[in-house]
Amino acid sequence: MVRCQFVLVLSLLVSSCGSSSPSSPSETPRVSGAWIGNSTLTSVSGGECVGSTLAAAIGSRDIFSARIQQTDNDLAASLTYEGNRTSCVFRGNTNNQSVNLTMSSCPDGRIETFVCSNGDVRRLEIADSRVSVQNDNQTGRGTDTTTLNVYAAGSTTPLSTLTVTSRFLWNMLGIPHNDFHIFDGSILPGYVDGTVIIPEDSTPFCTECGWF
């Protein structure tokens, strides 16, 4: 009787173990390549006279290119804004169709001359930038929050810190990250050249780009 019970328990354990299957790892999203984005300024805070001047520019638009190199979930990227004339390098990761990037350096992150509405002249330098995107089938919507130091002309001590936030829609171009030149604003939605297709956007790209 005891032997029968042991066999019964053993068979139940084997059956239980056999019924479970290891969960397959989730597929890493593919975001490596070149992207083009349509960005809109949504909020401004701080920044002394620069902030109060830029408040009138909320709703202004810009175009940017993003070149992303992917290794597993890790990302190395560069974003270049055509109108704002800035270009920064980012590190980040992708998971479950989301992309998160944090600025690591900004070789072209200086706006040498910004004239405030009161006539004062300021210099701006990007100190930090963070990008967050949710992708869906080679397109995505996201936000870019950038912090800049504000200087008086000729000064090396910041007067204030400016934070600007923009929201954007980007589309993958279908070419590798290393086969893409820095964006010059000459390619617009609807452009088709072999494998490079920029879809039409329901909200057209800007004709006068940037908010700086």
Side-chain angles (χ1 to χ4, degrees), residues 58 100 171 179 187:
I58 290 177
N100 293 285
N171 295 293
D179 188 23
I187 301 175

mmCIF file of all heavy atoms in Angstrom, residues 58 100 171 179 187:
data_model
loop_
_atom_site.group_PDB
_atom_site.id
_atom_site.type_symbol
_atom_site.label_atom_id
_atom_site.label_comp_id
_atom_site.label_asym_id
_atom_site.label_seq_id
_atom_site.Cartn_x
_atom_site.Cartn_y
_atom_site.Cartn_z
ATOM 1 N N ILE A 58 6.435 78.318 -27.848
ATOM 2 C CA ILE A 58 5.805 77.007 -27.641
ATOM 3 C C ILE A 58 4.888 76.699 -28.823
ATOM 4 O O ILE A 58 4.095 77.537 -29.251
ATOM 5 C CB ILE A 58 5.027 76.987 -26.317
ATOM 6 C CG1 ILE A 58 6.015 77.017 -25.142
ATOM 7 C CG2 ILE A 58 4.130 75.752 -26.223
ATOM 8 C CD1 ILE A 58 5.368 77.075 -23.778
ATOM 9 N N ASN A 100 15.049 54.493 -24.225
ATOM 10 C CA ASN A 100 15.422 55.535 -23.275
ATOM 11 C C ASN A 100 16.884 55.906 -23.509
ATOM 12 O O ASN A 100 17.768 55.039 -23.487
ATOM 13 C CB ASN A 100 15.224 55.052 -21.839
ATOM 14 C CG ASN A 100 13.760 54.835 -21.507
ATOM 15 O OD1 ASN A 100 13.015 55.788 -21.307
ATOM 16 N ND2 ASN A 100 13.334 53.584 -21.443
ATOM 17 N N ASN A 171 10.272 58.272 -37.455
ATOM 18 C CA ASN A 171 10.104 57.124 -38.348
ATOM 19 C C ASN A 171 11.467 56.579 -38.739
ATOM 20 O O ASN A 171 12.403 57.343 -39.000
ATOM 21 C CB ASN A 171 9.341 57.526 -39.622
ATOM 22 C CG ASN A 171 7.917 57.949 -39.335
ATOM 23 O OD1 ASN A 171 7.087 57.148 -38.931
ATOM 24 N ND2 ASN A 171 7.638 59.222 -39.524
ATOM 25 N N ASP A 179 25.256 54.558 -42.533
ATOM 26 C CA ASP A 179 25.064 54.945 -43.925
ATOM 27 C C ASP A 179 24.090 56.118 -44.000
ATOM 28 O O ASP A 179 23.173 56.150 -44.787
ATOM 29 C CB ASP A 179 24.531 53.758 -44.739
ATOM 30 C CG ASP A 179 24.490 54.058 -46.239
ATOM 31 O OD1 ASP A 179 25.242 54.941 -46.683
ATOM 32 O OD2 ASP A 179 23.682 53.432 -46.938
ATOM 33 N N ILE A 187 15.598 66.753 -47.072
ATOM 34 C CA ILE A 187 14.729 65.604 -47.337
ATOM 35 C C ILE A 187 13.458 65.761 -46.523
ATOM 36 O O ILE A 187 13.511 65.920 -45.309
ATOM 37 C CB ILE A 187 15.431 64.281 -46.982
ATOM 38 C CG1 ILE A 187 16.708 64.129 -47.791
ATOM 39 C CG2 ILE A 187 14.518 63.102 -47.222
ATOM 40 C CD1 ILE A 187 17.519 62.913 -47.432
#
